[in-house]
Amino acid sequence: MSHKAGFVNILGKPNAGKSTLMNRLVGEKLSIVTPKAQTTRHRILGIVTEPDQYQIVFSDTPGYLEAKYGLHKAMMRFVEMAIEDADVILYMIDVTDPSDVESYRTEILQAESKLIVVLNKVDQLTDESLPALIESWKVLAPKSEVIPISAEDGLNTSLLMERIVALLPEGEAYYGPDELTDKTERFLAAEIIREKIFLNYKQEIPYASEVGVDAFKDEGKLLRIEATIYVERATQKGILIGHQGKELKKVGTAARLDMEKFWDKKVYLGLFVKVKDNWRNDDRLLKYFGYKLGS
Ligand SMILES: Nc1nc2c(ncn2[C@@H]2O[C@H](COP(=O)(O)OP(=O)(O)OP(=O)(O)O)[C@@H](O)[C@H]2O)c(=O)[nH]1
Ligand SMILES: [Mg+2]
């Protein structure tokens, strides 16, 4: 059999389970996952290589949303790029969200790429609605396969993987056999901190926060990581730090434990908090945080 390789891009609404699925298919926690919408802000590659057989370059993407800030516009550019360069699109639908069928994206259904409609979170269905849901998606996307899965439990994810490989075009590998992602260790460290912020605070704090890693030093037995959390207002800084620094400490400890697991090493994590007014609409800062802007 000749070698296969291609870009398999995961698209869908916020909270559909895109990052959960990519992590499962890649077998590493590359993308952060939280119960809150708009967790993922970047396009994150996850690479699976089966030597002499195939290489799948998955892309996790931000969930679709109406852009209110410069940040959102940058996020939606990542989504547009992922529609354009996909060989295979995994269009992910959350079966627990009834609005998903009504608000499907025609630009995805009409994209040139091959399409698999992935009905996620079927572990949550308590009624007999799945067969009708599958049928309704077969009508919307007659040329595509419709596969019900649970990204969290792993139900049908091996079958999904088989179908993805079947749809991959022939071609040479894009990345080296040991490469896992396009993202740097600094980026992954910043994301782990952002996940803990999403999990630890309610309402606007997660959305008003961004994380920049200032230092990432491998000192042999210890990884020394220093990072700054940026918020938009002084009041948010107070909430983030909490009484006697308690809340920030919780975030720091949870992030450090995950980092130690991911890098299999002891980690020292230093966290600082700074206010950057209106960073979500500031092109210069958005660029600094790694968002691609432009027309
Ligand atoms: N019950 C159930 N929950 C799931 C499943 N897949 C994901 N979740 C949960 O759904 C929530 C959102 O998952 P994510 O993977 O962060 O979703 P996402 O599509 O990446 O979200 P954004 O990054 O915000 O666009 C998390 O709480 C997950 O644990 C599933 O198959 N079953
Ligand atoms: Mg995500």
Side-chain angles (χ1 to χ4, degrees):
M1 195 185 77
S2 49
H3 192 272
K4 291 179 146 197
F7 285 83
V8 176
N9 302 345
I10 310 172
L11 299 162
K13 288 214 311 202
N15 215 40
K18 301 177 293 301
S19 302
T20 307
L21 179 66
M22 186 171 86
N23 291 342
R24 178 166 285 279
L25 297 179
V26 174
E28 284 280 349
K29 192 172 170 193
L30 291 175
S31 272
I32 59 170
V33 169
T34 83
K36 292 195 175 70
Q38 299 177 41
T39 299
T40 305
R41 292 178 180 166
H42 292 261
R43 177 178 180 171
I44 299 166
L45 302 191
I47 304 159
V48 176
T49 304
E50 195 58 52
D52 302 324
Q53 292 182 43
Y54 61 81
Q55 181 173 76
I56 307 173
V57 185
F58 286 105
S59 285
D60 182 20
T61 66
Y64 264 125
L65 47 84
E66 252 177 67
K68 286 194 196 134
Y69 298 95
L71 170 68
H72 292 157
K73 284 192 193 131
M75 286 159 65
M76 291 310 102
R77 267 182 63 81
F78 290 131
V79 175
E80 285 159 26
M81 289 190 286
I83 294 179
E84 281 165 25
D85 68 19
D87 293 301
V88 179
I89 290 178
L90 305 184
Y91 185 9
M92 191 167 233
I93 306 299
D94 176 350
V95 296
T96 66
D97 177 356
S99 73
D100 247 2
V101 181
E102 284 108 64
S103 62
Y104 63 86
R105 313 292 301 210
T106 38
E107 66 268 47
I108 294 182
L109 295 180
Q110 289 163 2
E112 296 284 309
S113 5
K114 295 166 190 164
L115 182 75
I116 301 177
V117 177
V118 178
L119 302 179
N120 190 34
K121 307 196 189 180
V122 295
D123 57 285
Q124 292 290 303
L125 287 180
T126 48
D127 55 15
E128 300 299 316
S129 58
L130 188 59
L133 196 61
I134 293 175
E135 281 316 307
S136 69
W137 276 99
K138 283 191 171 153
V139 172
L140 288 172
K143 289 190 212 132
S144 314
E145 291 182 60
V146 181
I147 304 182
I149 69 156
S150 168
E152 195 146 279
D153 297 352
L155 176 83
N156 265 355
T157 50
S158 314
L159 170 79
L160 174 62
M161 194 69 172
E162 277 171 33
R163 302 313 303 149
I164 293 168
V165 174
L167 292 180
L168 276 188
E170 287 182 4
E172 294 302 311
Y174 293 90
Y175 293 88
D178 298 330
E179 281 180 88
L180 192 61
T181 182
D182 62 327
K183 293 287 179 272
T184 61
E185 291 183 311
R186 281 172 179 252
F187 175 86
L188 298 175
E191 286 291 271
I192 291 172
I193 298 164
R194 221 162 53 70
E195 180 182 81
K196 303 313 170 197
I197 296 170
F198 263 68
L199 294 174
N200 198 52
Y201 304 93
K202 294 189 194 118
Q203 291 160 4
E204 99 269 24
I205 297 289
Y207 298 103
S209 301
E210 185 57 85
V211 179
V213 168
D214 308 309
F216 189 105
K217 280 191 221 121
D218 192 342
E219 298 180 348
K221 285 200 178 125
L222 181 85
L223 268 184
R224 185 176 295 277
I225 301 172
E226 282 171 16
T228 304
I229 302 169
Y230 298 90
V231 286
E232 289 192 318
R233 290 197 299 272
T235 47
Q236 293 165 343
K237 180 173 174 176
I239 298 169
L240 199 100
I241 293 173
H243 182 58
Q244 294 179 336
K246 245 191 181 154
E247 297 305 317
L248 186 63
K249 196 161 184 219
K250 269 196 235 164
V251 167
T253 304
R256 180 176 53 76
L257 291 173
D258 268 22
M259 289 169 176
E260 290 184 339
K261 210 160 118 198
F262 189 79
W263 281 290
D264 198 16
K265 218 171 220 196
K266 270 226 134 332
V267 169
Y268 163 85
L269 177 63
L271 285 180
F272 307 88
V273 183
K274 273 188 193 157
V275 178
K276 286 277 181 205
D277 287 342
N278 204 24
W279 68 262
R280 277 183 284 184
N281 269 322
D282 183 324
D283 283 0
R284 198 180 52 82
L285 280 170
L286 286 170
K287 248 189 181 154
Y288 171 75
F289 291 135
Y291 296 98
K292 287 196 177 75
L293 307 169
S295 55

